[in-house]
Amino acid sequence: MTSSSPAAVSTSFRTLDLRGRHLSTAALKQAMPRAETTTDVASDAVAAIIADVRSRGYDALSELAARFDRVEQHRPLVPRAALKEALQQLDPQVRAALEESIRRARLFADAQRPRNTDLQIGPGANVAQKWIPVRRVGLYVPGGLAVYPSSVIMNVVPAQAAGVSSLALASPPQPAFGGLPHPTILAAAELLGIEEVYAMGGAQAIAAFAYGVPAAGDNPELEPVDVVTGPGNVYVATAKRLVKGVVGIDAEAGPTEIAILADAGADARLVAADLISQAEHDPNAASVLVTDSAELEQRVREELDRQIAATRHRERVATALSGPQSGTILVDNLEQGIEVCNAYGAEHLEIQTANAEEAAARITSAGAVFVGSYSPVSLGDYCSGSNHVLPTAGTAAFSSGLNVTTFMRAIQVINYDRAALAEVSGHVVALSRAEDLPAHGDAVSVRFSS
């Protein structure tokens, strides 16, 4: 959507030229464009917020809502009537889009449920693994520069598919809506049957979920959760890092990223549009083009200048594209391009090359991979059926996107009879002595002594 009077906004889309350079894995990761603001920068401020919420509960939440969200708040729990009203007043086209997004997300989430394993190692020797949902989860939906009902779906649907019995959702209070979250967020929650919704934002919401908040006045107890999930800014990501271990988390999903691996045959118009689509989220968003074609780079730059001038959030986009986290990475060939993409570990990685499926099959580090010209990141944001809560800042190297198993635990069950234990008792005793833990072996031997 464009404004009535588009104006040019200057942007500087940087270039990192890796042609003719053969960097080690460590050097390549170090060279990748990244935002200057990291979780390390925010750690002290976030730790103070977490400590404040833990010690002062609802009083701290009220003061932080005034400080960060500019609302006067005494009861963050959203009334049921507000949820119902939000759904009743929802635009029918938006409701239809949300319902289709939910339908597709449920299909994919249902297919992800893991199977239990029951294995007989030998006669009387049985080992099993069963998957159990966590009891309670806290789902965070950002609400700063944009409105994210899609994130309600992405958080709630896999948790429901996992069988979680208690779900609480938090989204920042909005001055324009009387201190409640945006009504479209509330409508999406009501559509999914979520009754426990809080007007809480930022690090304070993560702290409240992780540690709980005691009842005070007319505020009921906010019971602590087992897992916290959801995307957010650097402060939300930092808070999730600091409470990890107290609760489980999905990933440290900070400001959004897109990387596009493209060759000379890619459509510069589409590449530019997709880079802009993610830059629209946040001034700290990252948009990266990886290509072996200097000609494509030039065409993309021309398209960026043209399309940025026509987009609504042009200043935000220009800031993101001009930041150290964005730019073009020039490579010698597709082989080096794939190496760069695996080192970068993008939240969203588009493949716009000849034989895109073959290139995509060689990607080992990414939150989600979008293959070909007709699988843009925007599709994954809303209606592909996949989940858009994904690891950022290179954490895709060891983290997964939000999925059903995020909300489940695998419990192993061991069931041996006497004969089966006797068969391995000598091995247990031998290994216990090798580790200088003889009582371990004795615990087995005593079962066969008279």
Side-chain angles (χ1 to χ4, degrees), residues 5-344:
S5 56
V9 176
S10 67
T11 182
S12 174
F13 199 57
R14 306 179 185 198
T15 299
L16 172 62
D17 193 343
L18 296 183
R19 291 175 297 182
R21 300 172 62 185
H22 301 284
L23 302 178
S24 67
T25 300
L28 193 56
K29 287 187 174 184
Q30 186 67 29
M32 292 298 96
R34 299 290 184 197
E36 293 175 346
T37 302
T38 67
T39 53
D40 293 334
V41 174
S43 289
D44 289 346
V46 170
I49 290 171
I50 293 172
D52 195 22
V53 172
R54 291 188 68 184
S55 64
R56 298 196 303 120
Y58 281 110
D59 287 341
L61 291 173
S62 178
E63 291 178 17
L64 290 165
R67 176 181 169 190
F68 293 117
D69 303 304
R70 304 182 308 284
V71 300
E72 183 177 342
Q73 181 190 77
H74 301 290
R75 186 179 168 86
L77 182 64
V78 176
R80 287 286 298 118
L83 294 168
K84 294 178 180 178
E85 181 182 1
L87 183 56
Q88 290 170 355
Q89 296 183 358
L90 184 64
D91 181 292
Q93 287 187 318
V94 176
R95 177 166 182 161
L98 289 174
E99 288 174 338
E100 180 61 16
S101 180
I102 291 169
R103 185 186 75 83
R104 290 172 181 256
R106 284 203 195 285
L107 287 172
F108 191 44
D110 288 343
Q112 294 171 20
R113 279 196 293 261
R115 294 182 179 180
N116 291 339
T117 300
D118 195 347
L119 179 66
Q120 187 176 55
I121 301 287
N126 299 289
V127 181
Q129 179 171 277
K130 60 180 181 178
W131 288 89
I132 305 293
V134 299
R135 186 186 61 84
R136 177 169 164 81
V137 301
L139 311 172
Y140 185 76
V141 177
L145 296 176
V147 184
Y148 294 104
S150 57
S151 286
V152 179
I153 296 169
M154 301 298 171
N155 279 268
V156 171
V157 168
Q160 290 177 332
V164 176
S165 60
S166 178
L167 289 83
L169 188 145
S171 190
Q174 305 288 324
F177 302 105
L180 295 178
H182 194 284
T184 311
I185 300 292
L186 301 184
E190 179 70 9
L191 200 58
L192 286 158
I194 305 303
E195 299 181 358
E196 189 181 350
V197 179
Y198 296 91
M200 299 187 301
Q204 59 269 30
I206 306 304
F209 277 153
Y211 294 100
V213 182
D218 64 346
N219 281 299
E221 177 189 8
L222 196 171
E223 191 178 357
V225 303
D226 301 309
V227 171
V228 174
T229 70
N233 61 19
V234 67
Y235 295 96
V236 170
T238 301
K240 288 168 70 177
R241 170 177 286 186
L242 294 180
V243 301
K244 184 179 181 180
V246 177
V247 294
I249 66 170
D250 49 345
E252 297 173 25
T256 192
E257 303 165 345
I258 181 174
I260 303 177
L261 177 62
D263 59 17
D267 188 329
R269 183 173 52 96
L270 303 184
V271 172
D274 292 352
L275 293 170
I276 289 171
S277 73
Q278 294 307 296
E280 179 179 47
H281 276 282
D282 189 303
N284 292 314
S287 294
V288 176
L289 169 62
V290 181
T291 183
D292 59 356
S293 171
E295 291 76 17
L296 175 69
E297 179 195 23
Q298 182 56 40
R299 294 199 305 272
V300 169
R301 287 182 181 278
E302 293 168 359
E303 281 293 332
L304 287 174
D305 289 341
R306 185 181 67 79
Q307 293 185 34
I308 290 171
T311 196
R312 169 179 288 189
H313 302 297
R314 64 184 69 90
E315 292 185 0
R316 187 189 309 163
V317 168
T319 299
L321 293 178
S322 299
Q325 73 276 13
S326 297
T328 298
I329 302 176
L330 286 173
V331 294
D332 288 313
N333 47 42
L334 181 63
E335 186 75 23
Q336 189 183 20
I338 291 172
E339 184 181 3
V340 165
C341 289
N342 284 329
Y344 183 64

